[in-house]
Amino acid sequence: MKTKILKDVYTEAELASSMTSCWAGRNLVFFKETDSTNIQLRRLAEAGVPEGTLAVACQQTAGKGRRGRSWVSSDGDGIWMSLLLRPGFAPERASMLTLVAALAVEQAIKQVTGFSCQIKWPNDLVADGKKICGILTEMSTEGQDIRYVVIGIGINTGMKEFPREIRETATSLELCLGRPVRRSELVNGVMCAWEEFYGQFLKNCDLSILRDAYDCRLVNRNRSVKVLLPGNEYTGMARGIDDVGQLLVEMEDGQVRTVMSGEVSVRGVYGYV
Ligand code: BTN
């Protein structure tokens, strides 16, 4: 008997018919090519599209990474998508959403492909010591209120070659699995997992319920990390996160420092992880 090979068909129709989530990704905006799904979704959010709207692009010409970096997002090579939220909690809590998204992507990859990734604090997904997914959360506020949050997710699915600058630190699912991934199935998996984890997050508007799940997947856990602050750096042992997603780093004298995401960068002592 012949084995049926499932092709990675990635069209608006295919994506729409793959969705089984309740609200996340149910209003789909699909681009063959765009500058950045984060930019487009911010524009749509200003125009009033509902929570759960998902902007997906086959290709981004100006993909944005964290810290003002660009994000390589060529046609056919990955999932480039942004999800819109309109939460009622305080803006200070929004940075935790990136950690929730990392959990959702990890679970979806596991469920859809069987492959286990790990999380590099706060929100990179890594496989074989290299980055496979990045998340960029952007927010618009008004006074003490959130107007909207855009969670941009980039998953390298089909990339086989990388630009020189990221060759040592980036990989793709296809390279890890040795076979292609059906992106529409994975997009749906991420949206379903997002609904599950976000539901848990909303119970206390923090990571208290998700903390153990996160720590289990944390690649840095019980490893030496270098914390790079502007104009200062120190080394310690990463122990996990606290209820608000700060990294707990134990110093040699036993004192535990909390590291907030933002301008801080955490590296392995010998490299990226
Ligand atoms: C990082 O630097 O790790 C974050 C990368 C985030 C990339 C995604 S791809 C979809 C969305 N649109 C963007 O322009 N960026 C995010």
Side-chain angles (χ1 to χ4, degrees):
M1 202 177 83
K2 274 191 188 165
T3 318
K4 196 173 165 201
I5 296 175
L6 296 167
K7 267 185 72 185
D8 177 27
V9 180
Y10 202 51
T11 59
E12 184 168 7
E14 178 68 21
L15 206 47
S17 68
S18 301
M19 299 309 282
T20 59
S21 53
C22 293
W23 58 272
R26 280 306 177 135
N27 185 35
L28 265 178
V29 183
F30 188 84
F31 300 93
K32 280 271 331 142
E33 180 187 301
T34 192
D35 46 4
S36 150
T37 53
N38 269 34
I39 294 175
Q40 291 304 321
L41 192 57
R42 290 188 75 138
R43 188 180 58 76
L44 290 162
E46 296 291 345
V49 294
E51 176 163 71
T53 297
L54 184 70
V56 178
C58 293
Q59 174 166 9
Q60 296 183 122
T61 51
K64 296 200 288 177
R66 293 172 77 212
R67 292 165 222 272
R69 295 195 193 110
S70 60
W71 182 260
V72 182
S73 0
S74 326
D75 196 8
D77 280 348
I79 291 172
W80 326 122
M81 64 180 179
S82 304
L83 176 67
L84 180 70
L85 301 176
R86 297 188 182 277
F89 48 75
E92 304 80 71
R93 300 194 171 259
S95 63
M96 287 184 261
L97 296 174
T98 326
L99 283 75
V100 180
L103 271 173
V105 177
E106 190 279 336
Q107 174 164 297
I109 290 176
K110 183 81 214 270
Q111 281 178 349
V112 171
T113 71
F115 187 76
S116 297
C117 301
Q118 285 183 297
I119 300 172
K120 176 180 175 286
W121 185 86
N123 55 9
D124 286 353
L125 256 74
V126 296
D128 300 335
K130 293 181 171 186
K131 180 159 166 171
I132 208 159
C133 166
I135 299 166
L136 174 67
T137 300
E138 297 184 296
M139 172 169 63
S140 167
T141 57
E142 197 167 80
Q144 285 311 299
D145 297 325
I146 295 179
R147 292 179 65 233
Y148 59 84
V149 175
V150 165
I151 302 186
I153 300 173
I155 309 173
N156 299 333
T157 54
M159 276 154 120
K160 290 176 212 64
E161 282 174 16
F162 297 87
R164 198 160 41 84
E165 318 81 76
I166 56 170
R167 201 165 290 158
E168 298 303 316
T169 53
T171 189
S172 72
L173 272 174
E174 186 162 341
L175 287 176
C176 293
L177 290 165
R179 62 177 163 81
V181 174
R182 294 183 69 217
R183 282 172 290 176
S184 58
E185 215 181 308
L186 190 51
V187 169
N188 178 53
V190 175
M191 291 303 107
C192 293
W194 169 264
E195 287 177 354
E196 181 186 329
F197 287 120
Y198 188 51
Q200 304 275 296
F201 171 84
L202 285 178
K203 287 187 181 159
N204 302 319
C205 286
D206 68 20
L207 296 166
S208 48
I209 299 175
L210 297 172
R211 191 173 160 180
D212 287 347
Y214 185 93
D215 282 349
C216 286
R217 292 157 179 82
L218 187 62
V219 71
N220 319 91
R221 196 176 190 193
N222 298 330
R223 287 200 192 175
S224 249
V225 290
K226 201 190 275 181
V227 180
L228 307 169
L229 301 152
N232 178 22
E233 66 174 61
Y234 61 88
T235 303
M237 198 64 85
R239 294 300 185 201
I241 57 164
D242 64 12
D243 286 353
V244 293
Q246 301 181 113
L247 187 68
L248 304 171
V249 179
E250 188 179 334
M251 312 302 293
E252 230 167 54
D253 62 5
Q255 177 210 338
V256 177
R257 293 197 190 178
T258 52
V259 184
M260 268 171 55
S261 60
E263 280 317 294
V264 182
S265 177
V266 171
R267 296 253 171 280
V269 178
Y270 301 109
Y272 169 65
V273 170

